[in-house]
Amino acid sequence: MKHDSILITGASSGLGRALAQTLARPGRKLWLGGRNAARLEETARHCISQGAAVELKLCDVTHTAAMAEWVQGTGGLDMVLACAGITGGTRNPLHPDHPAAEPEPQIRRIFATDLHGVLNTVLPALELMERQPRAADGMRGRICAISSVAGLVSFPGTPSYSAAKAAVDRFMVATGGNAKKAGILLSSVVCGFIDTPMVARNAFPMPGLTDVQSASRRILRGLARNERRITFPLWLAAGSRLMDMLPIRLAEAYYTHQPAGAAGSMPEPDLT
Ligand SMILES: NC(=O)c1ccc[n+]([C@@H]2O[C@H](COP(=O)([O-])OP(=O)(O)OC[C@H]3O[C@@H](n4cnc5c(N)ncnc54)[C@H](OP(=O)(O)O)[C@@H]3O)[C@@H](O)[C@H]2O)c1
């Protein structure tokens, strides 16, 4: 399958930016989305210097119609990488007496961005790719969404993030079988901590923290091998799966004693 035309959300920072920069090369067109114009342009400058053609889109992934218009307006895509996302913990400035409850605006914003924002990217991309001709290998396109190891567990430190990421992973993997028959490869990335601005203000140790270039290369290697679920680090994912098999009260007792599970250990998300 060719990869001449690629759309990336969350290209203004972290993993989305690293993927864009790694993929940039002559003969390739990159459609890059984000909300912060200055940071998006910085990504674009690097990609153009590597020889790629770049088209920028300032857009919020929570806006269903605008996202469909952007994706459909490309006229054709070989690959879509849904990277945009936010996180947040359980410090609740609205209810300081209930420190373990996430603020409602944060819960809604995380689901809107991390789950609906992914659907707003993936669904129009599926529709667009279904109309594209099959390549020599029978494929029409490839779509990848970034989930998280946090989605493998019911982590009390990030309830909405864990739930939204679990839903993204299940959706991508469960839809992937039928999508493949239609010539579209779907992948979910179940990754641990990656050293990006998202985690820069976390006030706890991050086991297995991976630098963003290595993470980007690992994801692209997984896509080249047509992996339906790209998982790293494997030991962290395996440990998380085992934790999820424990009785809830045991897993919860363990997690709430971890510094990551403490209220205030996560930065407050940008709810603008
Ligand atoms: N870093 C980790 O440890 C880690 C681990 C597992 C999974 N992930 C996932 O990896 C993905 C990339 O995260 P990152 O670590 O690269 O974080 P990051 O550096 O904070 O980047 C997040 C990106 O998402 C974009 N974004 C956020 N809300 C958006 C919205 N409503 N509309 C459009 N774009 C929006 C941001 O764009 P603007 O800044 O322009 O708004 C930014 O480009 C996320 O899905 C994250 O959940 C990260």
Side-chain angles (χ1 to χ4, degrees):
M1 193 198 319
K2 62 186 174 60
H3 290 103
D4 293 344
S5 181
I6 302 173
L7 181 144
I8 306 175
T9 69
S12 51
S13 180
L15 190 54
R17 169 181 278 177
L19 284 163
Q21 293 178 342
T22 309
L23 286 163
R25 69 186 58 158
R28 190 166 268 173
K29 171 108 181 228
L30 300 178
W31 307 80
L32 305 180
R35 293 174 304 177
N36 184 297
R39 283 193 278 101
L40 198 55
E41 280 160 14
E42 201 179 312
T43 307
R45 273 195 295 279
H46 182 101
C47 294
I48 291 166
S49 75
Q50 299 302 304
V54 173
E55 189 145 330
L56 300 186
K57 180 74 177 173
L58 279 183
C59 65
D60 189 320
V61 292
T62 65
H63 296 168
T64 306
M67 286 298 293
E69 195 181 322
W70 179 38
V71 172
Q72 300 284 344
T74 59
L77 291 167
D78 301 316
M79 178 154 76
V80 169
L81 301 171
C83 299
I86 57 170
T87 188
T90 54
R91 193 164 76 86
N92 191 338
L94 302 175
H95 298 286
D97 46 331
H98 293 297
E102 282 182 280
E104 182 178 336
Q106 172 180 305
I107 296 170
R108 294 194 182 281
R109 188 71 183 161
I110 288 178
F111 276 98
T113 308
D114 294 359
L115 176 55
H116 294 283
V118 168
L119 295 179
N120 288 340
T121 311
V122 170
L123 298 183
L126 278 169
E127 205 184 314
L128 178 77
M129 288 177 182
E130 277 163 11
R131 297 197 302 268
Q132 295 178 173
R134 290 184 189 260
D137 62 1
M139 290 299 136
R140 303 177 202 270
R142 180 195 297 282
I143 306 172
C144 169
I146 312 298
S147 176
S148 170
V149 166
L152 301 180
V153 290
S154 304
F155 190 61
T158 53
S160 304
Y161 185 75
S162 285
K165 291 297 184 182
V168 164
D169 177 65
R170 291 288 173 202
F171 178 79
M172 294 301 284
V173 174
T175 311
N178 286 330
K180 191 172 177 186
K181 289 180 200 148
I184 303 166
L185 294 164
L186 299 192
S187 297
S188 165
V189 175
V190 176
C191 50
F193 294 110
I194 304 170
D195 193 4
T196 69
M198 176 177 277
V199 302
R201 289 179 298 126
N202 284 358
F204 50 84
M206 291 178 274
L209 182 70
T210 308
D211 73 87
V212 72
Q213 297 304 335
S214 306
S216 160
R217 283 195 300 271
R218 172 65 188 91
I219 291 168
L220 294 176
R221 214 166 45 242
L223 292 175
R225 292 183 197 140
N226 295 337
E227 289 175 25
R228 299 262 304 272
R229 182 182 274 131
I230 300 167
T231 305
F232 61 94
L234 276 175
W235 58 267
L236 189 62
S240 301
R241 291 243 190 245
L242 286 174
M243 286 298 293
D244 205 37
M245 290 167 69
L246 291 178
I248 290 173
R249 66 186 163 73
L250 286 184
E252 210 163 56
Y254 172 78
Y255 283 134
T256 47
H257 283 90
Q258 297 301 304
S265 58
M266 299 285 292
E268 284 172 42
D270 167 19
L271 297 176
T272 51

